């Protein structure tokens, strides 16, 4: 068997084309969706991600800006800036790029962002909403994975889903979103003993561990769907996922490549959430 390659870039492009209609409809009401991105410090990877987000916004007509704060910024100053943006009617989304420097109180930062503008889906209200089904915004990466599965017509209900990685950004919300769709979900993490005994049972294997080549063919069930969320830079500069792509593609039914799989969907769902936020505000105002 050779797996179908799930083309995240193509779906991301198609979805972004569709956003133009929604942005046009908002424009007819005098509304331009707006996204504020706060970047603290000098993390080079964060600067690249923020640059991509701003560029993607401008391509679909979202007004966005990145505000670069020095690594020495204090908690009070950062929280104060978020409070200002919460009150700014032109900003429908606020995103604070993670990771933050260690002296910053990250939970407080995330909870200060209005849940109504939390297009990252990291506010406690939105995190809790994943459990109860009352979330305003879903976190972008797992939301992008759900969209990829839907688009590929891959059923989730009743399937054995194994998630490798239990982060707040990907693994945990991914588990809740797939449980809400009636999958049977197992979460593995760095302390899991004998990872392979779990992964081999997966009908759908989602890997977000940040370990290049962690998943090898012997760990994958014949005919499984493999979603690789990993983005790792190798010493030679190449970007690679958490899955041995060349090996596993011979065993899986479908697999996402890195790059070109989940990555482009993450930014796309940020655009979706920002447009949705502007639409919600317009609906509430009318
Ligand atoms: N750092 C890595 N991924 C993300 C993300 O999805 N949102 C934010 N704000 N920071 C990140």
């Amino acid at each position: 068997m050779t797996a179908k390659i799930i083309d995240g870039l193509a779906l991301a492009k198609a979805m972004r084309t569709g956003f133009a209609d929604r942005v046009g409809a908002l424009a007819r009401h005098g509304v331009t969706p707006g996204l504020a991105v706060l970047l603290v410090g000098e993390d080079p990877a964060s600067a690249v991600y923020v640059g991509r987000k701003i560029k993607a916004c401008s391509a679909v007509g979202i007004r966005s800006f990145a505000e670069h704060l020095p690594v020495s910024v204090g908690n009070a100053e950062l929280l104060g800036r978020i409070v200002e943006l919460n009150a700014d009617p032109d900003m429908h989304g606020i995103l604070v790029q993670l990771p933050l420097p260690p002296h910053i109180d990250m939970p407080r930062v995330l909870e200060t962002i209005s849940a109504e503008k939390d297009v990252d889906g990291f506010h406690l209200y939105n995190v809790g909403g994943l459990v109860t089904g009352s979330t305003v915004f879903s976190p972008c990466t797992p939301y992008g994975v759900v969209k990829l599965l839907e688009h590929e017509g891959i059923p989730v209900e009743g399937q054995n889903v194994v998630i490798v990685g239990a982060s707040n950004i990907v693994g945990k919300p991914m588990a809740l979103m797939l449980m809400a769709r009636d999958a049977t979900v197992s979460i593995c993490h760095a302390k899991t003993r004998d990872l392979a005994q779990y992964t081999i049972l997966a009908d759908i294997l989602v890997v977000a561990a940040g370990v290049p080549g962690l998943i090898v063919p012997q760990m994958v069930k014949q005919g499984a769907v493999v979603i690789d969320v990993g983005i790792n830079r190798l010493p030679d500069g190449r970007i690679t996922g958490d899955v041995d792509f060349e090996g596993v593609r011979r065993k899986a039914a479908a697999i996402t490549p890195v790059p070109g799989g989940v990555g482009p969907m993450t930014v796309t769902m940020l655009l979706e959430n920002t447009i949705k936020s502007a639409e919600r505000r317009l609906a509430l105002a009318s």
Side-chain angles (χ1 to χ4, degrees), residues 49 53 95-99 120 122 140-141 169 266:
Y49 292 138
K53 290 172 187 179
L95 181 156
V96 178
Q97 187 66 27
L98 304 179
D120 251 336
F122 294 166
C140 300
T141 300
I169 292 181
T266 296

Side-chain angles (χ1 to χ4, degrees), residues 251-275:
K251 211 165 171 194
I255 187 169
T256 58
V258 179
V262 176
M265 291 301 293
T266 296
V267 178
T268 303
M269 302 328 291
L270 173 66
L271 305 176
E272 156 77 32
N273 281 349
T274 305
I275 295 168

Side-chain angles (χ1 to χ4, degrees), residues 190-244:
K191 299 282 165 65
T192 298
R193 279 182 281 119
D194 193 3
L195 182 59
Q197 74 172 334
Y198 293 93
T199 59
I200 198 73
L201 297 177
D203 301 311
I204 301 173
L205 180 61
V206 182
V207 192
V211 180
L214 175 67
I215 303 297
V216 293
Q218 308 86 278
M219 300 167 79
V220 177
K221 183 164 90 170
Q222 191 80 37
V225 172
V226 180
I227 307 291
D228 190 350
V229 186
I231 302 178
N232 309 292
R233 189 174 288 279
L234 296 174
D236 66 7
R238 277 184 304 134
I239 298 292
T240 186
D242 291 350
V243 176
D244 165 12

Side-chain angles (χ1 to χ4, degrees), residues 42-223:
E42 306 299 333
D43 182 58
S46 289
V48 171
Y49 292 138
V50 167
R52 277 190 204 148
K53 290 172 187 179
I54 299 293
K55 196 167 155 215
C57 280
S58 111
V60 299
I62 295 173
R63 185 191 301 141
S64 71
F65 66 87
E67 206 164 293
H68 193 176
L69 302 165
V71 70
S72 58
V73 74
N75 278 286
E77 193 184 334
L78 179 56
L79 295 175
R81 189 65 191 110
I82 293 169
V83 170
E84 282 172 8
L85 290 165
N86 283 341
D88 183 342
D90 291 336
M91 285 300 127
H92 303 93
I94 303 170
L95 181 156
V96 178
Q97 187 66 27
L98 304 179
L100 287 167
H103 70 280
I104 297 288
D105 183 350
M106 184 184 67
R108 183 118 186 259
V109 165
L110 298 181
E111 276 134 55
T112 301
I113 297 171
S114 159
E116 307 278 322
K117 297 192 178 190
D118 170 39
V119 287
D120 251 336
F122 294 166
H123 186 283
L124 275 188
Y125 178 88
N126 285 318
V127 175
L130 291 175
V131 176
T132 61
S134 59
T135 188
V136 184
F137 298 111
S138 297
C140 300
T141 300
Y143 191 16
V145 171
V146 166
K147 286 282 174 195
L148 275 177
L149 293 172
E150 281 175 7
H151 179 75
E152 294 296 320
I154 295 165
V156 168
E157 187 183 301
Q159 299 296 296
N160 282 339
V161 175
V162 176
I163 299 168
V164 182
S167 71
N168 290 346
I169 292 181
V170 183
K172 288 181 203 162
M174 184 85 260
L176 291 165
M177 291 170 82
L178 294 175
M179 278 170 70
R181 288 161 178 80
D182 296 322
T184 302
V185 178
S186 310
I187 308 187
C188 302
H189 45 75
K191 299 282 165 65
T192 298
R193 279 182 281 119
D194 193 3
L195 182 59
Q197 74 172 334
Y198 293 93
T199 59
I200 198 73
L201 297 177
D203 301 311
I204 301 173
L205 180 61
V206 182
V207 192
V211 180
L214 175 67
I215 303 297
V216 293
Q218 308 86 278
M219 300 167 79
V220 177
K221 183 164 90 170
Q222 191 80 37

